[in-house]
Amino acid sequence: MTAPFERRLERYAELLVRVGVNLQPGQRLLLSADLDAAPLARQVVRHAYLAGAPLVNVIWNDAESTRLRLLHAAPDTLADFPGWRAQLWQDTAERGDAFLHVTSEDPALLAGLAPDLVDRERRGRQRSLQGFADLMRRNAFPWCRAAAPAPAWAARVYPDLPAAQAVSRLWDAVFHANRVDLPDPVQAWRDHLAALEARAALLTARQYRAVHLRGPGTDLEVGLADGHVWVGGASPTPAGVPFAANMPTEEIFTAPHRTRVTGTVRATKPLSLSGTLVEGIEMRLEAGRIVHARADRGEEVLRRALDTDEGARFLGEVALVPGASPVAETGTLFLDSLYDENVACHLAFGYAFQENFAGGDQLTGDEVAARGGNDSLTHVDFMVGSADVTVDGLRVDGSREPLLRDGQWAF
């Protein structure tokens, strides 16, 4: 019998604290949460103090207020980002505090707004938080992204259901995807993360020259960075404390070589990007660069993201994901990359993560670049996998080995 909602919510909050950021006694937590996530956020605060946090700083976000700003503020002010907020984020990273970000956004909230206005706000925010993002990429502190259902999001996912029923159903999907209803969710997550880590270690040991994705509209050879490391499961802080950056997570990922990606790729799921749903993405890459990109819907938003800077037109991540998982079992298209990327292989244009390079936490930016790592202000995941997409590992000697067939692991 399923536990009452309040008990499931508490268990979810406990997971985010004990597994997501893996909060340690005496460690502060910065919690960034949407207003609709308040019931979950308060449970997170409770469990953080129970875990020994001396201070939990809660920052509330309201996407509707952002929308109103884009509608009514002077365009030349949209790139302004609060200095106090940037400093708080930076101080959090430099102290090694834990950071948890919980979203509840409508995936199409900003659809219909002038893309130039959305782009100005996004770029201003990215520039202001660049120092924080650089430390995050190095795993200098424990961080985690999670989500809490809200009426607007649920209405997009289940448009044919009454509002209350849609929210309830989305919560059920979120709880199931995060293993909340298992007898011991914390231990289940630790076992799951260990299994991902073991599979990632097998891939790292093989040191493939590239991975090859083939399927409808996709024939892409993704060369891998020199000395690349596959990561799956938890990531360690400099002190060796593991944390799960995404909850849920089912992926194993690494860094492509910036200039060694060639071919075509077609997205298999919609992408919520800057408050707009982008559908039917197709790209062509030459020598690593995205030289052509189109979309059936939201193309202008996609184009602006690719024009963020020079590095935005190169890949920073390739991730392998099986089709069988608690996320997939929900049968839900979440319209949120945090969830949808965990039922399909995906790529990301933009920056690469330091942990995807041997000794990455000790490498400078120039050293990462020398190994083929990409740099950018942005990092955008888009889904390219399905049961119809095969993935092979290509060895240096030219031989190939199957990695995914019919959406399932082949090794």
Side-chain angles (χ1 to χ4, degrees):
M1 180 177 179
T2 303
F5 174 80
E6 291 75 14
R7 175 56 181 150
R8 299 165 85 195
L9 189 71
E10 181 184 1
R11 292 175 70 159
Y12 183 34
E14 183 181 15
L15 278 173
L16 297 180
V17 171
R18 294 181 59 190
V19 177
V21 296
N22 193 9
L23 195 71
Q24 301 297 296
Q27 186 176 39
R28 295 182 180 186
L29 173 66
L30 174 59
L31 171 59
S32 172
D34 289 348
L35 291 178
D36 282 317
L40 174 62
R42 293 180 186 121
Q43 286 287 358
V44 166
V45 171
R46 175 175 176 268
H47 278 282
Y49 283 124
L50 289 174
L55 175 65
V56 180
N57 200 344
V58 183
I59 301 297
W60 298 105
N61 305 305
D62 179 28
E64 181 60 30
S65 294
T66 299
R67 180 177 176 274
L68 292 172
R69 181 189 185 196
L70 294 170
L71 280 171
H72 303 298
D76 60 358
T77 68
L78 293 178
D80 295 344
F81 188 84
W84 68 266
R85 194 161 184 165
Q87 190 61 54
L88 175 60
W89 261 240
Q90 189 68 23
D91 291 346
T92 293
E94 292 178 354
R95 274 196 307 263
D97 297 347
F99 175 70
L100 174 60
H101 183 50
V102 181
T103 63
S104 303
E105 292 183 10
D106 176 350
L109 178 70
L110 304 183
L113 294 180
D116 176 63
L117 301 182
V118 177
D119 194 50
R120 290 187 188 201
E121 190 277 335
R122 176 182 63 84
R123 287 175 183 251
R125 174 167 30 89
Q126 288 176 330
R127 284 193 294 267
S128 297
L129 296 178
Q130 184 172 4
F132 171 84
D134 288 344
L135 290 171
M136 184 182 73
R137 289 161 59 182
R138 292 179 173 274
N139 293 333
F141 57 94
W143 56 278
C144 178
R145 294 168 58 235
W153 178 21
R156 300 285 183 185
V157 177
Y158 305 114
D160 298 327
L161 294 181
Q165 188 176 345
V167 172
S168 177
R169 183 168 172 182
L170 187 54
W171 268 117
D172 285 343
V174 165
F175 288 146
H176 186 85
N178 284 283
R179 298 170 167 81
V180 168
D181 293 325
L182 294 181
D184 187 344
V186 170
Q187 188 57 51
W189 262 96
R190 289 172 177 164
D191 293 343
H192 170 57
L193 294 174
L196 286 175
E197 184 177 355
R199 195 176 292 274
L202 289 175
L203 287 174
T204 298
R206 296 181 182 185
Q207 283 297 294
Y208 291 120
R209 174 182 61 80
V211 292
H212 189 191
L213 291 78
R214 289 177 293 180
T218 294
D219 186 355
L220 188 71
E221 185 172 307
V222 182
L224 302 181
D226 300 335
H228 63 272
V229 173
W230 289 87
V231 174
S235 300
T237 66
V241 177
F243 66 93
N246 291 339
M247 290 191 73
T249 182
E250 304 290 340
E251 67 178 320
I252 298 173
F253 65 97
T254 195
H257 192 287
R258 188 177 190 271
T259 63
R260 299 176 188 165
V261 185
T262 301
T264 58
V265 63
R266 178 184 296 170
T268 52
K269 293 180 181 294
L271 167 67
S272 178
L273 179 60
S274 298
T276 298
L277 282 178
V278 183
E279 300 181 77
I281 297 173
E282 295 179 349
M283 295 181 179
R284 186 175 77 254
L285 292 90
E286 298 176 359
R289 191 172 191 274
I290 299 169
V291 297
H292 173 75
R294 64 163 302 277
D296 294 335
R297 177 182 177 187
E299 183 174 317
E300 177 66 11
V301 173
L302 174 65
R303 185 185 66 78
R304 287 183 176 275
L306 290 169
D307 289 340
T308 298
D309 50 31
E310 176 61 22
R313 284 192 171 265
F314 294 82
L315 300 186
E317 178 186 340
V318 55
L320 305 184
V321 185
S325 71
V327 186
E329 287 168 1
T330 68
T332 299
L333 178 62
F334 289 89
L335 302 177
D336 183 327
S337 63
L338 175 63
Y339 279 78
D340 292 336
E341 73 175 18
N342 282 297
V343 295
C345 296
H346 53 273
L347 304 170
F349 58 84
Y351 63 74
F353 290 99
Q354 302 280 134
E355 64 184 320
N356 287 135
F357 298 84
D361 59 340
Q362 303 298 318
L363 299 178
T364 66
D366 288 343
E367 289 170 331
V368 169
R371 296 188 183 186
N374 190 41
D375 190 26
S376 173
L377 282 174
T378 196
H379 180 96
V380 176
D381 295 292
F382 61 101
M383 284 58 74
V384 299
S386 74
D388 297 324
V389 176
T390 65
V391 183
D392 289 333
L394 306 183
R395 289 192 175 275
V396 175
D397 64 8
S399 62
R400 65 172 60 226
E401 296 175 342
L403 300 180
L404 282 166
R405 291 290 187 273
D406 299 319
Q408 306 305 322
W409 294 120
F411 73 102

